Amino acid sequence: MDEYGRFEWALVFDASKPGPVYSLFHLDVNFIRIGDVESKMAREIPKAYEPNEVEQRWAKAWFEQKLFRAENSGYGPRFSIALPPPNVTGSIHIGHMLEHTQIDMLVRWHRMRGERTLWLPGMDHAGIATQFVVERMLAKEGIKRQDLGREEFERRVWKWKQESGGVIKEQMIRLGASCDWTRERFTLEPALYRAVLHAFLRFYREGLIYRGRYMVNWCPRCQTAISDLEVVHHERTGEIWNIRYPLIGADGKPSGTEFLVVATTRPETMLGDTAVAVHPDDDRYRGYVGRRVLLPLMNREIPVIADTYVDREFGTGVVKITPAHDPNDFEVGKRHNLPEIDVMTPDGHMSEVAGKYAGMERFAARGRIVADLKELELVESVKEHMHAVGTCDRCKAIVEPRVSTQWFMKMAPLAEPAKQVVRSGLIEVVPDNQRTVLLNWLDNIRDWCISRQLWWGHRIPIWHCADCKEMVPATDSRVEIVDGHARAAGVPTKCPKCGGSKLTQDPDVLDTWFSSGLWPFSTLGWPDDTKDLREFYPTSLLISGYDILFFWDARMIMMGIHLMSDPNLNTGDISTLIPFRQLYLHSLVRTAEGAKMSKTKGTGVDPLQMTEQYGTDALRYMLASMAAPGTDIILSEDRVLGARAFANKIWNAARFLFVNLEKIEAQGISLEDLAAPEIRARAPYAVPGEASLAHRWIFSRLSAVSAEVNDALEGFRFHEACQTIYHFFWDDFCDWYIEWLKPQLAETNRDVAVPAWRNILTVFDAALRLLHPAMPFITEELWHKFPQRAGASRVAAEALASSQLADGTGDAGAPGLVSIALEDYPQPNSDWPDRNAENEMALLQEIIIAARNVRAEMKIEPKKKVPADLSAADGGFRRIIEVNLEAILRLGALSSLKVSQGRLDSAGAAIRSTAQFDLRIAYGEAVDKAAEMAKAKKEIERLEKDIASKEARLTDESFQSKAPVEVVRNMEATLADRKTELVKLRARVTQLSS
RNA sequence: GGGCGACUAGCUCAGUUGGUUAGAGCGUUCCCCUCACACGGGAGAGGUCCAAGGUUCAAGUCCUUGGUCGCCCACCA
């Protein structure tokens, strides 16, 4: 892969499936320069939207044009965000896609608001996970990593990384993620390796990293220590055995009758028992403390000790103490100076000190031991027992607590400032309830085991002196490139303590989350004081799943605050040290059963496959529209279909515009005249005469919708943003505005047609820009069918004009980039809100709907237009109705509408009434009188109930005195309307029954 | 053992600070292949907001208790 990430497209493969999979950018798609994709295909829009070709074309164009380089964004406030680096263990799944969609929506939104925007992508080497995947692949060839040796194994993993990383990148590009790929990073690349060494050495010098022999979680499958967080507890029904330990009598021999009975769920560990403990205040056993028991099977005498750790209520009140295999026993052992006997090997077999069980697999040994004890009649009882079993997060093997020598990081001192910034809101956590979760975890933080007995990762930069065992750190954090990959270059040559020269590097590597913890700043060039670091740190926002809140988010906060406090880089003001200002925890995608998606369980959904089926935009929209903060998402095909239909609707709205454009172009009016950027900028255009209402209304709506969408995105309410735009586009724009305007657009009178066209194209363009963050491909495609100017060059020109470039704030970006992604995001416009237009439009819509309703109820033939009468008391209303008569007749399918003031004779007619008007359509032959009647009666019932409850409320004195005046007024007004409606309905019923 | 979340239309889910007759998508019923769209248009039906108490002029929304389900954390043999 070269510097700009051109990689081999031809053959890539996926961990879960054998053989090649995606070839996203078909080679026959020619390179298209953004801006060249003009409206040449505008006249040949297919009837149904076919997303695949469009998406591939744009994904490729965006990528190759480096459209999303930070330099191509505006010069407003900075907005920076680091991609949670996907593991290079395979391909991305639907969960990634949800995350990337949300990030991308916000990134595109900020970019369109003219902010200096950086979304920095990259990948994580994912030590244990990747090593696991590669080991599994090797196992298919019958090879173990030990057969290959460390260097060769690492080479194999690197090879895997190139392939897998390529796939992930390709997928992300294909899914429209607007990352700045010129800044792509990888946790094991030289620069980041150096950052890791730098961080480690600093923590080590400060005494925050130490080495010691402690109880850790050991995975016998992976053969490495893992951190507490990597242990997943599962409730399981197991067995608990009560075992008799014979007491040693005064004669120094085991008694045949006196026993202490201990309970255990792991009998195999008894081989390492070095004591038996009781509570010091337990009267039952007071006399036994200080005596000895004979450890069965091993025939080793061990003491009976007293320790308050023992719970008198549990079991028999006697506990076997196995300091090498249980965290509590380890502590007890320390307090009582007990020996630690490790009876297990790293791979989960019984060790050579396990007597005759040596070499047996741990669970086989358990069975054998129980059988032997039974034989000796030392098993007093066996019971079923529910308990939590710890398993390895990665490979699911049962974890053994085990004493071993590992590297640890002291967390309490780092947690303090982290708590401070979270508690004070300096880092805002959304949703807020997660803040409590985070603070609780920080309050109970424990030291972090950071060493792993793996080969894939950053090797610990400490050397051990063979002679005096002194630990010698690397001289500095420099790295050298060997075999194409980084390693520590500051190799110490001499032991500073004894002068010995036999130094060997510690074999362990660091937990993968150690390097992840540095991600927000290591990717920006830290530990160097780079331009990017100065410009983009602290990042604005972190979006991650709540499942890695402790693994990653919390550690970034702790490590960021600590490491960025380097006096050379920073003033020490804590608000400049934090890695991100906001933390948004997104929901997880779950299966229908509510379980987490899992590739190993085969419940994962392949986003690329869904993309090909439904279109990326549809999938993105579906995910975003379901992403309400704080709730998990269960995928449903219905929702994707709905989203696809939406994309199709957008497509066809455009199709309508372009097809009809031809007609007006025939009159010598060009698209340029109607939709050039400067033309659109001056909208809305006044349409002469009576036709203005719909225009005033749609711009009023557009302003309101812009406000709502911006507001929703500000608060991470993606679903609300989606729903608002959806409703605006489909209902307001398509169903009402387009329909309303059809005659105007076809008008031969240019004074009407031109402003109408300018307005509708302006609104459509705004709608595309509103939609763009959620549906980038279709909006880019359609937007390019209009005359556009170059976005990036505009940005640069503006910057030059305000001389921002002169002081080195950045280069001008590539000239000539034309993309909706570089356009302005629609904002509310204070000139547009028009309450009258909204009210009037609402009234007219009600009339039209009433007409349609009557037609449907009366089963009038769809094509047959019928005459109607309308009565309204308000003169203003009558005027509005008369002015907009054409639209009412057309959309309500009426042949005429006689507007009057008086009461309408309802004999032989169907009537729809509201408080404002009555609409009357004469009966045809086939009318279901009974149905009309039933309907009216039902409505009357509802009204009566409503009126009764409102009257009760309004006559209640405390309501009158305590409720806000406005609420009371509103209710009075509504009540009056209801009463009017009721009177009309009653009259109607009387007439029907006569 | 702690903590968190969910329970609203047949299904999947919205409902920010309590305030008119609780919304959407899908499904469903009826009518339409009307010259942008059947991935469409039009008109409907459909909900005692898990239960019981409480606070309030007013509760899907706040409080308490209980139920069902899910998740996270936790060294009880």
Side-chain angles (χ1 to χ4, degrees):
Chain A
M1 209 178 294
D2 70 16
E3 155 269 325
Y4 195 59
R6 247 167 273 269
F7 38 80
E8 298 300 320
W9 305 99
L11 188 69
V12 289
F13 58 93
D14 168 6
S16 59
K17 300 173 212 154
V21 279
Y22 312 116
S23 177
L24 303 175
F25 303 142
H26 302 306
L27 296 172
D28 57 345
V29 176
N30 289 322
F31 171 73
I32 291 167
R33 188 181 167 77
I34 295 180
D36 290 351
V37 195
E38 278 299 335
S39 51
K40 60 182 179 238
M41 36 189 310
R43 305 301 185 264
E44 306 143 28
I45 301 185
K47 205 167 171 180
Y49 177 49
E50 287 152 18
N52 277 316
E53 184 274 332
V54 170
E55 290 170 1
Q56 279 175 14
R57 183 154 40 79
W58 283 114
K60 188 174 161 75
W62 291 336
F63 176 73
E64 303 215 347
Q65 287 290 78
K66 306 178 188 180
L67 184 70
F68 305 121
R69 284 176 73 197
E71 285 77 6
N72 290 338
S73 61
Y75 287 86
R78 289 165 305 155
F79 180 78
S80 61
I81 188 163
L83 172 75
N87 293 348
V88 289
T89 46
S91 52
I92 65 172
H93 53 72
I94 196 81
H96 289 115
M97 193 169 167
L98 172 71
E99 180 169 279
H100 298 170
T101 297
Q102 296 186 6
I103 297 174
D104 195 48
M105 276 179 77
L106 292 178
V107 166
R108 285 177 185 268
W109 175 56
H110 281 279
R111 189 186 289 116
M112 289 177 81
R113 295 208 301 184
E115 295 171 30
R116 189 64 156 177
T117 305
L118 170 65
W119 180 10
L120 193 148
M123 279 161 224
D124 196 306
H125 70 284
I128 193 168
T130 308
Q131 176 157 335
F132 180 60
V133 169
V134 175
E135 280 184 3
R136 205 171 46 184
M137 279 168 31
L138 288 173
K140 284 180 191 155
E141 304 169 40
I143 304 172
K144 282 196 285 198
R145 76 170 203 256
Q146 289 81 358
D147 302 337
L148 296 175
R150 186 163 188 154
E151 286 191 9
E152 178 55 25
F153 180 75
E154 282 188 74
R155 253 195 293 280
R156 296 284 184 111
V157 186
W158 273 108
K159 197 173 153 229
W160 160 261
K161 184 265 159 188
Q162 303 294 6
E163 291 158 352
S164 170
V167 174
I168 292 166
K169 180 173 178 178
E170 205 175 339
Q171 288 177 318
M172 286 190 65
I173 294 166
R174 178 65 181 76
L175 297 176
S178 65
C179 307
D180 183 348
W181 291 105
T182 66
R183 286 176 166 85
E184 184 185 358
R185 292 284 183 267
F186 179 55
T187 48
L188 263 182
E189 73 177 59
L192 274 68
Y193 206 113
R194 176 170 157 248
V196 167
L197 296 182
H198 195 85
F200 183 97
L201 292 170
R202 179 160 162 200
F203 283 129
Y204 183 72
R205 275 198 307 274
E206 294 171 339
L208 289 169
I209 284 178
Y210 63 95
R211 188 172 187 252
R213 192 173 151 77
Y214 294 98
M215 182 63 57
V216 295
N217 306 293
W218 183 267
C219 174
R221 212 290 323 162
C222 302
Q223 297 198 40
T224 176
I226 55 179
S227 72
D228 297 335
L229 286 175
E230 288 163 286
V231 179
V232 181
H233 294 277
H234 291 291
E235 287 281 318
R236 281 187 200 170
T237 328
E239 287 171 308
I240 185 164
W241 288 269
N242 280 344
I243 300 168
R244 298 182 177 129
Y245 282 23
L247 275 151
I248 305 288
D251 57 353
K253 291 183 181 159
S255 148
T257 52
E258 261 193 315
F259 302 99
L260 281 179
V261 179
V262 303
T264 181
T265 53
R266 296 191 296 154
E268 68 279 10
T269 63
M270 71 179 281
L271 306 180
D273 286 0
T274 51
V276 161
V278 297
H279 195 278
D281 302 330
D282 192 334
D283 292 334
R284 293 172 295 176
Y285 301 113
R286 206 177 285 272
Y288 298 100
V289 176
R291 290 182 61 181
R292 302 177 79 77
V293 295
L294 186 72
L295 178 64
L297 306 175
M298 298 305 284
N299 295 323
R300 184 164 73 229
E301 283 188 26
I302 54 177
V304 179
I305 59 170
D307 196 287
T308 50
Y309 150 70
V310 180
D311 177 358
R312 276 172 285 183
E313 309 302 318
F314 191 91
T316 57
V318 187
V319 187
K320 64 193 266 306
I321 300 297
T322 324
H325 292 282
D326 182 277
N328 294 308
D329 295 6
F330 179 74
E331 296 300 324
V332 175
K334 284 266 185 244
R335 284 198 286 276
H336 296 268
N337 276 318
L338 299 172
E340 294 156 11
I341 302 176
D342 186 351
V343 297
M344 254 181 245
T345 59
D347 66 348
H349 288 65
M350 305 314 288
S351 71
E352 70 278 6
V353 300
K356 64 174 181 168
Y357 306 99
M360 288 181 75
E361 195 276 330
R362 53 185 168 152
F363 297 115
R366 175 182 297 179
R368 185 66 171 282
I369 285 164
V370 169
D372 289 351
L373 287 170
K374 278 182 181 159
E375 187 94 352
L376 296 167
E377 297 185 357
L378 291 175
V379 178
E380 190 174 272
S381 62
V382 194
K383 273 179 294 199
E384 279 206 343
H385 183 64
M386 272 291 273
H387 61 141
V389 178
T391 60
C392 174
D393 184 33
R394 194 49 52 187
C395 76
K396 315 301 171 201
I398 292 178
V399 166
E400 286 295 332
R402 185 164 183 255
V403 171
S404 75
T405 302
Q406 302 288 345
W407 291 88
F408 297 89
M409 198 157 150
K410 283 186 193 160
M411 299 310 285
L414 296 171
E416 279 313 314
K419 277 189 260 184
Q420 189 194 322
V421 298
V422 172
R423 201 177 288 124
S424 70
L426 205 54
I427 291 180
E428 185 197 355
V429 182
V430 184
D432 187 61
N433 64 312
Q434 293 290 336
R435 184 166 74 142
T436 322
V437 177
L438 177 55
L439 285 171
N440 277 341
W441 187 76
L442 288 169
D443 275 336
N444 299 309
I445 201 154
R446 297 161 58 190
D447 285 358
W448 173 17
C449 175
I450 53 171
S451 49
R452 297 290 179 276
Q453 287 65 55
L454 302 171
W455 288 349
W456 174 244
H458 306 91
R459 197 158 165 183
I460 288 174
I462 298 288
W463 277 255
H464 300 278
C465 172
D467 298 323
C468 71
K469 306 294 174 206
E470 176 70 0
M471 293 190 289
V472 189
T475 55
D476 52 59
S477 58
R478 283 176 301 120
V479 293
E480 59 187 354
I481 311 296
V482 177
D483 203 10
H485 307 302
R487 69 178 190 198
V491 180
T493 50
K494 210 167 149 192
C495 173
K497 194 173 165 198
C498 72
S501 56
K502 277 179 279 178
L503 296 172
T504 50
Q505 189 174 3
D506 194 288
D508 291 353
V509 301
L510 286 164
D511 181 3
T512 208
W513 296 104
F514 188 91
S515 56
S516 313
L518 314 175
W519 186 251
F521 41 100
S522 65
T523 52
L524 293 171
W526 184 86
D528 291 332
D529 180 13
T530 62
K531 188 173 147 225
D532 271 5
L533 191 63
R534 282 179 180 272
E535 187 166 8
F536 294 115
Y537 193 90
T539 64
S540 313
L541 169 67
L542 176 76
I543 296 194
S544 93
Y546 59 78
D547 54 334
I548 54 170
L549 177 61
F550 309 140
F551 275 112
W552 192 45
D553 310 353
R555 284 165 178 166
M556 280 191 285
I557 296 172
M558 292 187 281
M559 292 171 98
I561 293 171
H562 190 81
L563 293 172
M564 292 303 292
S565 68
D566 187 328
N568 294 329
L569 289 176
N570 242 298
T571 59
D573 173 4
I574 201 163
S575 69
T576 66
L577 307 179
I578 53 175
F580 35 79
R581 297 198 172 86
Q582 280 185 306
L583 169 59
Y584 176 68
L585 296 153
H586 69 247
S587 37
L588 301 182
V589 181
R590 298 190 179 275
T591 63
E593 291 74 39
K596 254 168 99 166
M597 290 276 178
S598 153
K599 214 157 42 175
T600 42
K601 283 184 202 146
T603 51
V605 174
D606 181 350
L608 267 290
Q609 195 192 322
M610 290 188 79
T611 285
E612 274 172 31
Q613 211 172 341
Y614 305 106
T616 303
D617 284 331
L619 201 51
R620 286 174 57 118
Y621 179 85
M622 183 270 298
L623 289 169
S625 69
M626 295 182 81
T631 52
D632 285 341
I633 291 175
I634 294 173
L635 283 188
S636 78
E637 194 178 354
D638 286 347
R639 294 292 289 250
V640 198
L641 287 171
R644 186 185 64 168
F646 185 39
N648 192 243
K649 188 73 184 177
I650 298 164
W651 184 257
N652 275 289
R655 195 159 167 264
F656 166 79
L657 293 175
F658 283 104
V659 167
N660 287 284
L661 210 44
E662 285 174 5
K663 295 174 192 165
I664 192 164
E665 281 174 326
Q667 298 183 44
I669 300 168
S670 72
L671 181 59
E672 201 61 41
D673 295 330
L674 301 174
E678 58 278 11
I679 299 280
R680 275 181 273 135
R682 288 198 295 271
Y685 290 87
V687 180
E690 303 77 35
S692 69
L693 174 61
H695 298 282
R696 289 188 288 124
W697 167 76
I698 198 74
F699 278 92
S700 182
R701 288 286 305 135
L702 176 58
S703 181
V705 163
S706 301
E708 280 172 47
V709 172
N710 278 287
D711 195 54
L713 289 175
E714 191 77 56
F716 307 104
R717 297 188 304 276
F718 301 97
H719 66 297
E720 199 181 299
C722 285
Q723 201 187 321
T724 303
I725 306 171
Y726 181 96
H727 176 254
F728 175 70
F729 193 89
W730 201 311
D731 299 348
D732 293 340
F733 185 75
C734 291
D735 288 350
W736 287 105
Y737 188 56
I738 288 184
E739 292 305 326
W740 202 280
L741 251 56
K742 277 178 176 173
Q744 295 182 29
L745 298 176
E747 182 66 65
T748 48
N749 176 358
R750 290 186 179 200
D751 294 343
V752 173
V754 170
W757 270 105
R758 285 177 169 175
N759 286 342
I760 200 171
L761 292 173
T762 301
V763 175
F764 187 69
D765 167 77
L768 289 179
R769 285 182 286 123
L770 276 170
L771 275 161
H772 181 254
M775 306 179 96
F777 292 105
I778 191 172
T779 50
E780 179 81 306
E781 176 73 5
L782 294 176
W783 184 83
H784 275 272
K785 296 181 188 302
F786 295 100
Q788 305 293 2
R789 59 186 171 178
S793 59
R794 172 177 57 90
V795 167
E798 283 165 10
L800 269 175
S802 59
S803 72
Q804 276 177 298
L805 281 179
D807 51 39
T809 39
D811 73 65
L817 293 180
V818 183
S819 169
I820 190 173
L822 302 178
E823 283 297 300
D824 295 334
Y825 201 72
Q827 297 298 324
N829 180 321
S830 59
D831 293 336
W832 296 349
D834 187 333
R835 180 140 292 281
N836 288 337
E838 300 220 17
N839 287 340
E840 290 165 14
M841 195 68 181
L843 176 75
L844 299 183
Q845 287 174 340
E846 262 189 274
I847 293 171
I848 292 164
I849 288 167
R852 289 167 174 173
N853 173 283
V854 173
R855 292 180 54 95
E857 296 289 324
M858 289 170 64
K859 302 200 192 308
I860 293 172
E861 275 179 61
K863 281 167 197 157
K864 187 179 168 192
K865 297 200 169 190
V866 294
D869 303 281
L870 187 134
S871 153
D874 187 297
F877 283 158
R878 290 200 302 278
R879 212 164 31 249
I880 291 155
I881 290 162
E882 277 160 10
V883 164
N884 292 282
L885 199 56
E886 183 282 326
I888 299 173
L889 295 182
R890 183 165 45 89
L891 299 176
L894 301 173
S895 58
S896 67
L897 184 69
K898 195 158 33 145
V899 182
S900 67
Q901 190 172 358
R903 274 209 43 185
L904 294 176
D905 175 15
S906 58
I911 290 197
R912 285 294 172 279
S913 300
T914 69
Q916 281 74 36
F917 66 85
D918 302 277
L919 180 74
R920 174 188 188 278
I921 292 177
Y923 273 163
E925 314 77 58
V927 161
D928 191 341
K929 213 167 169 178
E932 273 282 291
M933 188 81 142
K935 205 178 151 109
K937 282 188 169 162
K938 196 173 164 191
E939 185 62 25
I940 285 173
E941 246 174 70
R942 228 165 66 159
L943 278 172
E944 281 172 339
K945 237 165 100 179
D946 190 44
I947 288 169
S949 99
K950 282 196 172 52
E951 278 179 335
R953 294 282 294 281
L954 281 165
T955 49
D956 185 344
E957 221 166 274
S958 51
F959 174 70
Q960 289 283 359
S961 58
K962 289 187 180 171
V965 193
E966 207 184 305
V967 173
V968 179
R969 289 256 171 78
N970 277 340
M971 195 173 287
E972 280 167 351
T974 313
L975 178 62
D977 280 359
R978 296 281 178 278
K979 282 180 166 169
T980 312
E981 286 167 35
L982 183 63
V983 168
K984 289 177 175 180
L985 263 176
R986 280 190 175 141
R988 177 100 188 106
V989 168
T990 317
Q991 211 138 36
L992 277 169
S993 50
S994 66

